[in-house]
Amino acid sequence: MAQQLLQEKLTCAICLELYQDPVTLSCGHNFCADCIRDWLRSRVECPECRELCPARAELRRNVALSDVVAVVRAEPPAAGPDPGPDPDPGPDPDPGARCPLHGRPLELFCRTEGRCVCSACTVGDCRLHERVLLDAERREREAQLRATLEVTRQQATQAESQLQGLQQRSSQIQSSACNLASMVSGKFSRLLQALEMRHIKALQAIEVAKTQALAQAQEEEQRLRGHLEATAAFDRWTQDLLEQSDDRTFVQGSQLLAPPGPLGPLTPPQWDADQQLDGLKEFLNQLCGLLLDNGDPHGAPAEAADLGPPETPDALALVPSPVCPLRRKLWQNYRNLTFDPGSANRHLYLSRQDQRVEHRREPRGLVEPGSFELWQVQCAQSFQSGRHYWEVHTSNHLVTLGVAYPDLARHKLGPYTDNIGRGPSSWGLCVQEDSAQAWHNGEVQRLRGVPGKLLGVDLDLTSGCLTFYSLEPETQCLHTFHAIFTQPLHPVFWLLEGRTLTLCHRPEARLPPGLQEEASGLS
């Protein structure tokens, strides 16, 4: 047994025979001189430990090992007792752990063929292949698998996070779509109701005009028929008189016969189809303009929190509301206002016949000498007596609307960006993100509730009341100022960057008698 073990230790790992002229590498392993030289012609590592060998490494003969090999070769094999017939070795406890060709342990891995091999395979089939120790191959592959596993786990975590985000986004889209559909349905429902009311009103106006014109025509027709009858009677009487043979009778009859009076000019019925359609055309044109308006292509950039297109003013501000008696009552004093271009700050751009103002980041080149240095603009109209009402539509919060005396300062005073309500000559309502504030003479009063985008202003100079209303979703009073107004009042507005404000017009709005000179330019 000892001799067999000694022979295994003296066996070359390349040729699997006893060493022939053994040499030693720098790593300490020994091989036959011819075997290792042949090996190093195509490789640079040790066949056993895979340590790199220096190029053209000097191979020194192992004298001691050569002497031991010579002794083993000269010693006869030891005789032992006859073991008799080979006993049944029984089943191999690990049949896959040995080479099926050579019966040796599978200690190496052939990377070229991708399989486990024994040391004997390295001399034959896998002699020129890339081989590594089996445990080294395992360590390398374990590291690769662990790295791959970590990457897949990170990908799974990322996929789960993306899935949750996608589900949340889908839920938000569904909720937003439902809210948008509900809002659009409500808008169109109210718009259809308003259009139906306008339709009925237009038909009624046509019917009234037709009745008046036909009555006038019937009156003229009766006058003409009466004249024709009188003319026919005169013709008959004259003919009978001319046929009278008695001179006395003729003379007496001619004195009694009087012709009908002159017919006079004919008065045609007052009917003008274009006049009947003028109000309706104006209403429909303004309504279509509001619905189809996509905003100025050079408008201000959209806000970060705002991902949709710019909002158009509420078209229902132009048509009668079927639900709010208070608002219909306020419309009795409705005034169509326009902005004064000469007062607009250089960052404020007017459009739609001076009915719309927009705050942009880029300033205008030329400004009027009397324009506001603040982000403000006032209306061209002013009021000194009577009662007046107007409505405005804002694109978003952070706007201020109010009224002011003509001496309102055009330049900045104090730390504020507006001066509406900051002094004794102006009164204002500041609409913020989550509330509203009433300002006058530098004093503020915080109001409850959040106003809508459609707002109304009622100025009653007779009773000294200035009232602000929120008109969406229903008409509600926000605040009322009580004061004695001693000078004409101009409507005035302040806008934050990116905001848009529109003066709503009503086609049937008219000035009361006596205010034509006082409030110039109203339609």
Side-chain angles (χ1 to χ4, degrees):
M1 177 63 70
Q3 184 178 8
Q4 182 179 359
L5 181 59
L6 182 60
Q7 288 182 354
E8 290 181 359
K9 294 297 183 181
L10 298 177
T11 299
C12 176
I14 298 177
C15 64
L16 302 180
E17 301 292 342
L18 290 176
Y19 290 124
Q20 294 287 343
D21 193 13
V23 296
T24 304
L25 296 180
S26 59
C27 61
H29 292 106
N30 300 286
F31 303 93
C32 298
D34 293 337
C35 292
I36 193 61
R37 289 193 182 96
D38 186 37
W39 173 274
L40 292 177
R41 288 192 180 95
S42 58
R43 299 169 181 81
V44 294
E45 73 275 1
C46 173
E48 291 193 16
C49 67
R50 300 299 174 182
E51 181 180 331
L52 295 177
C53 298
R56 298 181 181 179
E58 181 181 359
L59 302 177
R60 293 183 177 274
R61 183 171 178 270
N62 194 326
V63 179
L65 190 56
S66 298
D67 295 341
V68 174
V69 172
V71 171
V72 173
R73 288 182 185 278
E75 183 177 344
D82 186 7
D86 293 337
D88 185 6
D92 191 349
D94 189 6
R98 291 186 175 273
C99 180
L101 298 178
H102 306 99
R104 289 179 173 272
L106 297 175
E107 301 174 344
L108 303 173
F109 181 79
C110 179
R111 289 181 172 175
T112 303
E113 296 185 3
R115 64 186 181 91
C116 298
V117 296
C118 66
S119 57
C121 295
T122 61
V123 181
D125 297 338
C126 300
R127 181 176 182 180
L128 302 178
H129 295 172
E130 181 181 2
R131 295 156 295 168
V132 294
L133 293 176
L134 192 59
D135 58 345
E137 180 69 15
R138 171 171 179 152
R139 288 192 300 271
E140 184 175 345
R141 293 204 175 197
E142 276 187 355
Q144 293 177 355
L145 284 177
R146 292 183 187 280
T148 303
L149 181 61
E150 182 66 23
V151 172
T152 55
R153 287 177 177 174
Q154 292 178 357
Q155 292 176 349
T157 303
Q158 183 180 5
E160 290 178 357
S161 176
Q162 292 177 348
L163 178 60
Q164 293 178 357
L166 184 60
Q167 292 175 346
Q168 183 178 2
R169 180 58 178 165
S170 300
S171 177
Q172 293 176 351
I173 291 175
Q174 185 176 3
S175 176
S176 176
C178 291
N179 294 336
L180 185 61
S182 177
M183 183 271 292
V184 171
S185 299
K187 290 285 186 181
F188 272 92
S189 176
R190 294 174 58 198
L191 182 60
L192 291 175
Q193 292 178 6
L195 286 174
E196 182 63 24
M197 292 185 62
R198 188 69 183 191
H199 176 212
I200 295 174
K201 184 177 179 181
L203 294 180
Q204 291 176 349
I206 293 174
E207 187 66 24
V208 170
K210 181 193 75 172
T211 302
Q212 294 176 353
L214 291 180
Q216 187 178 7
Q218 186 176 7
E219 182 180 351
E220 287 295 308
E221 181 181 352
Q222 291 177 355
R223 187 174 68 87
L224 290 175
R225 289 184 182 278
H227 184 78
L228 289 174
E229 292 176 358
T231 302
F234 177 78
D235 183 81
R236 290 194 304 271
W237 294 339
T238 302
Q239 188 65 32
D240 293 342
L241 188 62
L242 291 174
E243 293 176 356
Q244 182 62 247
S245 58
D246 184 48
D247 295 338
R248 183 178 58 84
T249 302
F250 175 82
V251 171
Q252 290 178 351
S254 63
Q255 292 178 353
L256 299 177
L257 186 64
L263 178 62
L266 179 66
T267 303
Q270 297 299 320
W271 173 259
D272 188 351
D274 292 335
Q275 183 179 1
Q276 299 298 322
L277 295 177
D278 282 344
L280 186 61
K281 287 180 179 178
E282 182 181 359
F283 163 78
L284 293 177
N285 287 336
Q286 293 182 1
L287 181 61
C288 292
L290 292 177
L291 293 177
L292 299 178
D293 185 18
N294 291 325
D296 195 334
H298 304 289
E303 297 178 31
D306 224 355
L307 297 181
E311 290 196 31
T312 58
D314 191 349
L316 297 180
L318 298 174
V319 295
S321 170
V323 294
C324 183
L326 173 60
R327 192 176 176 194
R328 286 202 301 268
K329 183 177 180 181
L330 292 172
W331 278 342
Q332 296 176 3
N333 302 296
Y334 202 96
R335 306 291 176 253
N336 291 338
L337 305 181
T338 55
F339 293 114
D340 179 12
S343 68
N345 176 267
R346 60 186 308 180
H347 289 273
L348 301 183
Y349 290 74
L350 304 185
S351 61
R352 198 182 293 160
Q353 298 179 349
D354 296 334
Q355 299 174 28
R356 176 175 175 173
V357 60
E358 182 179 9
H359 187 155
R360 303 180 190 171
R361 179 175 301 177
E362 300 81 8
R364 292 180 285 113
L366 298 176
V367 293
E368 298 293 335
S371 62
F372 283 100
E373 295 181 4
L374 303 158
W375 295 337
Q376 295 179 183
V377 61
Q378 71 179 22
C379 288
Q381 297 78 21
S382 64
F383 307 101
Q384 193 169 5
S385 62
R387 187 169 184 176
H388 314 276
Y389 174 77
W390 59 91
E391 294 179 356
V392 298
H393 186 279
T394 64
S395 63
N396 213 325
H397 51 260
L398 295 179
V399 298
T400 300
L401 56 156
V403 296
Y405 289 151
D407 61 353
L408 181 66
R410 293 301 197 257
H411 55 277
K412 183 175 181 181
L413 297 174
Y416 302 107
T417 57
D418 72 293
N419 60 2
I420 303 176
R422 311 297 182 181
S425 62
S426 59
W427 296 258
L429 176 76
C430 178
V431 180
Q432 298 184 336
E433 296 181 1
D434 54 354
S435 64
Q437 299 176 352
W439 282 86
H440 173 62
N441 201 18
E443 297 180 356
V444 60
Q445 180 177 351
R446 301 188 182 277
L447 309 179
R448 295 182 179 179
V450 180
K453 296 181 180 180
L454 186 60
L455 303 169
V457 183
D458 181 30
L459 175 60
D460 189 350
L461 293 166
T462 303
S463 60
C465 295
L466 173 65
T467 306
F468 295 92
Y469 292 92
S470 175
L471 306 177
E472 290 181 344
E474 60 184 2
T475 303
Q476 60 176 336
C477 177
L478 296 175
H479 184 73
T480 299
F481 289 103
H482 298 277
I484 300 176
F485 302 110
T486 59
Q487 301 181 40
L489 290 172
H490 287 268
V492 63
F493 307 91
W494 173 89
L495 292 84
L496 187 66
E497 180 181 337
R499 273 43 174 191
T500 300
L501 189 143
T502 303
L503 297 170
C504 302
H505 278 201
R506 290 180 50 79
E508 59 270 26
R510 294 292 184 269
L511 284 176
L515 286 183
Q516 297 290 342
E517 297 181 359
E518 179 182 346
S520 60
L522 292 175
S523 57

